Amino acid sequence: MNKLLNQIFGFQEPVDQKFYFTVGLSLMLGKYLVDMFVIYMVAGIFWTPIDYLIPLLEVRADKISEFPLWFYFTFIIWTLPFIWVGVSMTYRRAIDAGKSPWYVLGFFLPVLNYLVMLWLCIQPSKPIQTGKTDQKNTSSEDRFKHALIGVIASIIAGIAVILIAVFIFDSYGLSVFVLVPFLIGLIATYLFNAKGIRSLKESNWVAFIALGILSGSVILFSLEGLICVAMALPLAIPIVFLGAVLGRKIATNRVSYLQGGLPILILFPAFLAFDSISPQSSTFSVTTSVEISADINKVWDNVIEFNEIEQDPEWFFKLGIAYPVRATIEGQGVGAIRYCEFSTGPFVEPITVWNEPVHLAFDVIEQPASLQELSFYDNVNAPHIHDFFRSTNGEFRLTSVDNNKTLLEGTTWYKMEIYPHFYWRPISEWLVGKIHERVLKQIAFQSENPWHNNAN
């Protein structure tokens, strides 16, 4: 049993054709059947084999928008062991077949990874005579030299991918938030260990130093601001670690920098191209409610427009995230234009439903930047602050309850084109909820203190 587990999860036991095909196919079928059953039970959606074989959740935007928020995390945690097994077995199958360990990178190529795995399934065992390199007690100068080479090379690769993905393919997807940190860890630690294997601790330090310098570079060159970099780091750190482990492992085999890996490196732009496919944007919604001790008609008056919010914005809004300030309206009834002023500018909201005093609904035809980035510069060249998070429409519903009280519910529908959704959706929904709270508290305050309205 221990040997079987080592063959499946470890990095030492060889993997021949039969074992690779049998275990790989069994795990794929088993995971698909479990995924299909659980997704149907949780969301009432049939998960087809095509849904399973296309690895990017964002391509099935119409389906994943129906997933409960908690299910994103469960789905990813359940998937992680299968990713580990796929990486470790592909790495060992390539070596067993006499191929370069760099072919393990083929596992990460969307769609093309199946061709790489099928190709490895038909390769006979023919171990390459690379041997294992021993850990060397090299001088501090030599270690610094190779660490510097690894850091510089990984940063160049990372910035290149960011520029291509964002400014050529107009995409904030897996290329930016997954491929870049993976390459940072992989390249930095491989080059650091290529001439002599250093400890895992040292290798990780080199990888994370490269990540830190890259983060500072995109801020310095006005590609991103401090807020977005800080929000992306919790996702990037574990991916950098995975790349670092794999890069160091590949370096234990004496192969040249590009031996056998060139075909895979040539195919890697397919990752960028696949990531640039514009799927149907998922539409999500957030609803927040508050009970107000006031008559429904008073609440309605303060829903359609409210005074400037005097309460200080919370700390995260002070960092630059847009927050509501006041609301005004021009006209009455359907067709009236409501302006919800934010710290970065107005949302323009033509009224589509005016059912006084119980239901107000509106579209959003214009909106300001989602945040003002913290940076050394007045302007940050980050397209996502304008177009990648868009409110589409919203509504307020009012319900009279006992003792002259009103239940007020506010809902916002929005589209988000920053991926992966499993990471960014919880952040966006939390922020939208906080924006709701700020508005609803102001409406409640004005409704419960009518003298305040008169004073203003």
Side-chain angles (χ1 to χ4, degrees):
M1 177 60 72
N2 287 337
K3 181 178 180 181
L4 178 61
L5 291 176
N6 286 332
Q7 280 186 298
I8 295 175
F9 291 97
F11 267 97
Q12 302 300 329
E13 294 289 335
V15 175
D16 60 20
Q17 294 169 274
K18 182 179 179 181
F19 190 82
Y20 187 70
F21 176 79
T22 303
V23 173
L25 184 62
S26 299
L27 290 176
M28 287 179 65
L29 289 175
K31 185 177 186 301
Y32 168 67
L33 292 175
V34 173
D35 289 352
M36 179 182 66
F37 175 77
V38 173
I39 290 172
Y40 183 79
M41 296 299 295
V42 170
I45 296 171
F46 177 61
W47 204 242
T48 69
I50 296 299
D51 293 325
Y52 177 78
L53 291 174
I54 298 178
L56 302 185
L57 290 175
E58 284 68 31
V59 175
R60 286 93 70 193
D62 57 333
K63 290 189 175 182
I64 66 170
S65 62
E66 301 296 324
F67 288 0
L69 190 57
W70 63 266
F71 189 64
Y72 277 84
F73 298 100
T74 306
F75 194 84
I76 295 303
I77 292 171
W78 156 250
T79 302
L80 288 177
F82 293 90
I83 295 176
W84 179 270
V85 171
V87 170
S88 68
M89 288 186 59
T90 300
Y91 168 80
R92 288 174 288 144
R93 175 80 271 266
I95 294 175
D96 180 77
K99 307 301 178 183
S100 169
W102 283 107
Y103 278 101
V104 68
L105 297 183
F107 181 82
F108 297 97
L109 294 172
V111 179
L112 297 175
N113 55 355
Y114 299 113
L115 298 178
V116 173
M117 288 186 284
L118 286 173
W119 178 74
L120 288 175
C121 282
I122 63 175
Q123 300 301 310
S125 295
K126 184 184 176 183
I128 55 177
Q129 302 299 317
T130 59
K132 299 287 184 179
T133 57
D134 297 323
Q135 186 165 331
K136 295 182 178 180
N137 295 317
T138 52
S139 66
S140 297
E141 181 179 349
D142 187 63
R143 288 168 183 259
F144 178 78
K145 172 185 173 182
H146 288 95
L148 186 61
I149 292 172
V151 168
I152 293 174
S154 63
I155 290 173
I156 291 174
I159 291 179
V161 172
I162 291 173
L163 291 175
I164 294 171
V166 173
F167 295 101
I168 295 180
F169 288 112
D170 195 30
S171 170
Y172 279 91
L174 298 184
S175 295
V176 173
F177 299 112
V178 176
L179 178 59
V180 167
F182 178 75
L183 290 178
I184 289 290
L186 179 80
I187 295 172
T189 55
Y190 173 76
L191 293 177
F192 180 57
N193 289 274
K195 299 300 182 181
I197 303 303
R198 278 80 179 190
S199 69
L200 181 60
K201 181 179 180 180
E202 286 181 305
S203 300
N204 288 338
W205 270 112
V206 170
F208 288 120
I209 288 172
L211 175 65
I213 296 176
L214 176 67
S215 301
S217 298
V218 297
I219 295 173
L220 181 63
F221 292 108
S222 189
L223 298 177
E224 284 292 349
L226 180 61
I227 298 173
C228 288
V229 170
M231 288 195 294
L233 282 178
L235 174 63
I237 287 172
I239 298 173
V240 168
F241 177 76
L242 174 62
V245 171
L246 190 57
R248 180 176 180 271
K249 195 67 184 175
I250 292 174
T252 62
N253 296 274
R254 292 195 181 109
V255 293
S256 66
Y257 293 160
L258 295 179
Q259 179 185 335
L262 189 57
I264 296 298
L265 294 176
I266 291 174
L267 290 174
F268 248 83
F271 196 111
L272 288 165
F274 190 81
D275 197 25
S276 70
I277 296 174
S278 298
Q280 176 187 352
S281 298
S282 301
T283 299
F284 303 106
S285 65
V286 179
T287 300
T288 310
S289 62
V290 64
E291 190 174 274
I292 301 174
S293 297
D295 178 74
I296 191 172
N297 292 290
K298 291 181 180 178
V299 177
W300 172 268
D301 291 338
N302 293 312
V303 163
I304 59 177
E305 58 180 343
F306 53 82
N307 299 331
E308 184 164 343
I309 302 176
E310 298 178 359
Q311 182 182 12
D312 285 340
E314 296 183 79
W315 65 268
F316 44 87
F317 288 133
K318 292 180 179 180
L319 294 177
I321 297 171
Y323 58 89
V325 177
R326 71 184 69 84
T328 59
I329 193 167
E330 294 181 355
Q332 282 192 340
V334 174
I337 304 295
R338 185 173 183 268
Y339 299 90
C340 190
E341 295 280 348
F342 271 60
S343 56
T344 55
F347 280 75
V348 180
E349 304 166 346
I351 304 301
T352 56
V353 176
W354 182 289
N355 187 10
E356 185 177 352
V358 295
H359 186 200
L360 181 75
F362 50 86
D363 291 335
V364 177
I365 60 173
E366 292 182 25
Q367 71 176 62
S370 57
L371 55 87
Q372 176 63 51
E373 279 282 20
L374 292 178
S375 176
F376 304 111
Y377 312 100
D378 293 333
N379 296 310
V380 175
N381 300 317
H384 67 83
I385 66 176
H386 297 286
D387 301 322
F388 288 77
F389 181 94
R390 305 188 309 278
S391 296
T392 59
N393 53 300
E395 70 172 14
F396 291 96
R397 290 187 180 271
L398 297 80
T399 306
S400 293
V401 295
D402 294 337
N403 301 320
N404 199 34
K405 293 183 178 180
T406 302
L407 176 65
L408 174 61
E409 293 181 313
T411 301
T412 296
W413 284 268
Y414 68 93
K415 292 181 181 291
M416 182 173 60
E417 295 182 8
I418 301 180
Y419 307 99
H421 279 163
F422 75 82
Y423 180 77
W424 293 108
R425 183 184 168 193
I427 296 174
S428 66
E429 295 208 355
W430 179 76
L431 287 173
V432 172
K434 287 298 182 181
I435 289 170
H436 283 181
E437 287 181 14
R438 184 170 168 83
V439 169
L440 296 185
K441 285 180 180 179
Q442 177 68 16
I443 294 173
F445 176 73
Q446 290 189 199
S447 301
E448 295 171 350
N449 301 277
W451 55 267
H452 186 272
N453 295 345
N454 296 331
N456 287 275

